[in-house]
Amino acid sequence: MKIKTFILFIVLSTFIFGCDRKVKKIPIAHSLSSDEYVYFISQRDSLPSIYGISLNDYKIEKILPDTFAGVWEIKFSPLGNVALFKTADFEGTVGAGFFSIKNPRIYLFDITTGEVALLKTFDDSWSVKIRWLNADTVEVYRISGGYQTGENFKLEIYGFDSAGDLLYKREKEYDWRKGEFPEEVLDLKLNAPDGKRSVEIKDDSLLGVKRIYFLDGFKRFEIFETKWKIEQLEWSSDGMYFVFRVVNITPEVVERKSVKTGEIYFFDVEKRNLYKISSGSGFFNFRFIDDTRIIFDKGFENDAEIYMYDLFEKKMKQLTNDDYPDGVFGIPKVLGFSA
């Protein structure tokens, strides 16, 4: 079924902490048929927004109405039926790269019903991260304060259920004068869905390397070693594969633009084999769309495109092949998304 956005967009009501009422959901798109769609963020007209591509005819359509601010990140639940995304207002000349980011907002998007719910609005910070803890819980992290304000760093954590209702709020302060800093929030899901297998990441600070181990019962296998940063790790829903992404943080990546900046790998649990999916310069963000396929974005600015990879068949397909909008180069055409 073709996705159509409503012409009229009703302003979403803000969810107020401590209020008993349910978060309000507003329809923005018709619910989808059994046709397969995948979603990504692209800057195709002015600000980045969410687009859907049909895996039947590969037609691309815009999902969000123009009344939304620029979409900066989208993350799907493990079941793939609900997405968490964040937006922001851009002030200045976005195309020329001179802009500031204001008023980050966090939304839930129910793929099956086409409804969106506003979870949280911030008015003075873009240090906001989002992630799914599991199929039922999302967390929103916000860091404020620090050097520029002369105040302690303040970490706020908001937990919501998959319907958008607030479950908890936690706060913690860090005194940077004493060398205290908020811990980094990484998207590493180390346990398989069935709980029988897991992944362990060990940091050898003496050698400056990280090692990934696969654990199956009492058996433990080292499968990967890197000096890079391990940023994302996801399991397929059946537990037969896990995919991870590493990012080059060595000094040479800053000094030489030709140095590759990202790699994606997957591990086949049954065969006990590790495979490289992609490597090169640019962004690498991925998510599973079923038990054997992932989509990921690759490249910078006008070279950024979206690919689909089948882990079982080990086949790659490029889903987008678009010209970059004239005069727009401040934000990559394809922006990060992950499971």
Side-chain angles (χ1 to χ4, degrees):
M1 178 185 292
K2 185 176 180 180
I3 305 174
K4 295 181 180 178
T5 56
F6 284 100
I7 297 176
L8 177 64
F9 174 74
I10 306 173
V11 178
L12 299 175
S13 62
T14 303
F15 183 84
I16 303 174
F17 176 69
C19 196
D20 291 331
R21 63 186 173 83
K22 297 291 184 180
V23 64
K24 188 175 182 180
K25 298 179 180 179
I26 303 298
I28 63 164
H30 290 298
S31 59
L32 304 183
S33 69
S34 58
D35 292 347
E36 288 188 282
Y37 285 89
V38 295
Y39 300 89
F40 61 94
I41 300 172
S42 177
Q43 185 183 336
R44 292 160 181 264
D45 54 358
S46 184
L47 292 177
S49 188
I50 298 176
Y51 290 78
I53 180 170
S54 168
L55 294 185
N56 291 328
D57 55 17
Y58 299 105
K59 290 184 178 179
I60 300 173
E61 299 183 53
K62 189 174 182 179
I63 305 300
L64 291 184
D66 293 334
T67 44
F68 274 85
V71 180
W72 200 251
E73 185 178 11
I74 183 169
K75 293 192 174 185
F76 282 79
S77 69
L79 299 178
N81 59 330
V82 182
L84 183 69
F85 70 90
K86 60 185 181 184
T87 71
D89 297 322
F90 294 83
E91 296 181 357
T93 307
V94 176
F98 303 104
F99 61 90
S100 59
I101 302 172
K102 305 287 186 180
N103 305 318
R105 306 175 188 89
I106 312 300
Y107 295 89
L108 273 182
F109 176 30
D110 190 320
I111 303 303
T112 56
T113 65
E115 295 178 319
V116 162
L118 177 63
L119 299 186
K120 188 70 182 173
T121 299
F122 300 96
D123 57 5
D124 62 352
S125 172
W126 184 237
S127 297
V128 176
K129 290 190 175 183
I130 56 178
R131 70 171 180 174
W132 287 85
L133 291 184
N134 49 55
D136 301 316
T137 308
V138 302
E139 281 195 338
V140 177
Y141 300 79
R142 185 232 190 179
I143 298 176
S144 58
Y147 314 110
Q148 295 181 341
T149 65
E151 301 173 344
N152 289 346
F153 281 108
K154 182 179 179 182
L155 172 64
E156 301 167 66
I157 302 177
Y158 300 85
F160 298 88
D161 63 21
S162 57
D165 297 314
L166 185 64
L167 299 174
Y168 54 84
K169 176 184 177 182
R170 300 169 185 157
E171 295 182 352
K172 186 177 180 180
E173 291 196 9
Y174 302 81
D175 190 342
W176 52 270
R177 304 166 192 83
K178 299 179 181 179
E180 299 174 357
F181 299 94
E183 56 270 20
E184 187 174 11
V185 179
L186 297 175
D187 219 355
L188 304 176
K189 297 179 177 60
L190 302 182
N191 295 322
D194 60 8
K196 296 179 180 179
R197 303 179 180 94
S198 64
V199 172
E200 184 178 69
I201 300 175
K202 293 290 186 180
D203 192 345
D204 188 333
S205 56
L206 292 178
L207 297 178
V209 299
K210 297 178 179 64
R211 295 186 176 91
I212 296 181
Y213 296 89
F214 170 63
L215 284 70
D216 187 359
F218 295 103
K219 298 179 180 179
R220 187 169 180 261
F221 310 90
E222 180 181 337
I223 65 170
F224 188 74
E225 178 182 300
T226 182
K227 291 186 177 181
W228 294 8
K229 181 180 179 181
I230 303 169
E231 278 207 337
Q232 183 186 359
L233 189 149
E234 303 284 346
W235 286 83
S236 60
S237 59
D238 61 3
M240 297 307 297
Y241 304 98
F242 65 82
V243 182
F244 61 92
R245 173 171 57 102
V246 296
V247 176
N248 191 351
I249 57 173
T250 59
E252 62 178 356
V253 76
V254 178
E255 299 169 359
R256 296 164 48 199
K257 293 184 177 179
S258 60
V259 175
K260 60 185 178 182
T261 58
E263 295 177 339
I264 297 180
Y265 296 83
F266 82 92
F267 184 76
D268 187 316
V269 169
E270 189 173 286
K271 294 180 179 179
R272 298 290 197 270
N273 283 337
L274 181 70
Y275 303 89
K276 181 184 290 187
I277 296 175
S278 185
S279 176
S281 297
F283 296 98
F284 292 84
N285 303 279
F286 70 86
R287 74 176 181 89
F288 278 92
I289 58 175
D290 54 33
D291 285 340
T292 63
R293 293 181 298 175
I294 66 167
I295 56 171
F296 67 95
D297 60 280
K298 174 183 177 182
F300 283 120
E301 299 178 349
N302 60 322
D303 293 325
E305 302 292 351
I306 292 180
Y307 298 79
M308 180 169 61
Y309 186 85
D310 191 305
L311 306 178
F312 179 75
E313 297 183 352
K314 300 182 184 61
K315 291 183 178 179
M316 183 104 66
K317 180 176 179 59
Q318 184 172 331
L319 298 185
T320 61
N321 185 17
D322 305 303
D323 294 330
Y324 197 58
D326 292 337
V328 181
F329 56 87
I331 303 175
K333 180 179 58 180
V334 180
L335 296 171
F337 57 88
S338 59

